[in-house]
Amino acid sequence: MISRLVSVLFAAGAIFAAAPAAAQFAKSEDAVNYRQSAMFLQAQHFGRVAAMANGRVPFDAAAAAANAELVATISKLPWAGFAAGTEGGKAKPEIWKEQAKFKELSDKLQANTEKLAVVAKGGNLDAIKAQVAATGETCKSCHDAYRNR
Ligand code: ASC
């Protein structure tokens, strides 16, 4: 009796542990909106740092640090929106066939944005320029491989 109850509880636990990625969104369209919204916010805040790095906007160390910090946080978000069964939007179907490569690129982006946040906090414009370039390359390599234009 007890052991039966225990195994039922374990089975329930396993279901809930496996659920989050699939259950986070009520429908596939919500997942697509979520990942596109996260990418939009990411581009806005990255764009503010990039504008300073490119000299289009005067350098403001505090603003660069604040925006880079946001990019580091936001870059953690889009990936949950690429859950199984959410193919569509601008995402190429290869994402779901090349999960290891996609994960590798998303990890690389997050490593680069973390580094950008650290560098921006340091306030050295040349270092920020170099890390904006490295981060932008990572954005581009993933978009080239996995985003439809
Ligand atoms: C952006 C943005 C991207 C990347 C990419 C960098 O601001 O919207 O997709 O940077 O252009 O190469």
Side-chain angles (χ1 to χ4, degrees):
M1 183 60 196
I2 293 285
S3 70
R4 178 125 185 229
L5 179 62
V6 167
S7 60
V8 167
L9 289 175
F10 266 103
I15 289 165
F16 286 116
Q24 186 173 346
F25 304 101
K27 47 192 196 307
S28 177
E29 188 195 340
D30 289 350
V32 175
N33 277 333
Y34 180 90
R35 68 197 187 215
Q36 290 185 355
S37 300
M39 291 291 188
F40 176 77
L41 289 175
Q42 186 171 220
Q44 292 295 303
H45 293 287
F46 180 65
R48 289 173 197 169
V49 184
M52 294 184 222
N54 299 333
R56 278 182 283 120
V57 168
F59 180 52
D60 172 337
N67 281 291
E69 187 66 44
L70 284 169
V71 175
T73 299
I74 297 166
S75 72
K76 300 179 202 304
L77 299 180
W79 325 112
F82 292 92
T86 66
E87 288 86 345
K90 296 181 195 168
K92 286 189 179 168
E94 281 76 11
I95 289 171
W96 288 271
K97 293 175 197 139
E98 300 170 9
Q99 290 275 284
K101 191 180 161 200
F102 186 65
K103 168 94 167 50
E104 189 184 310
L105 289 172
S106 74
D107 287 346
K108 198 174 163 200
L109 176 73
Q110 290 167 81
N112 264 308
T113 60
E114 279 296 334
K115 205 171 160 195
L116 181 62
V118 170
V119 163
K121 217 164 280 176
N124 180 306
L125 183 56
D126 284 336
I128 294 171
K129 283 179 184 175
Q131 192 52 31
V132 161
T135 305
E137 274 307 306
T138 314
C139 301
K140 187 177 183 311
S141 66
C142 197
H143 288 158
D144 287 350
Y146 293 122
R147 182 179 66 177
N148 286 317
R149 12 203 93 248

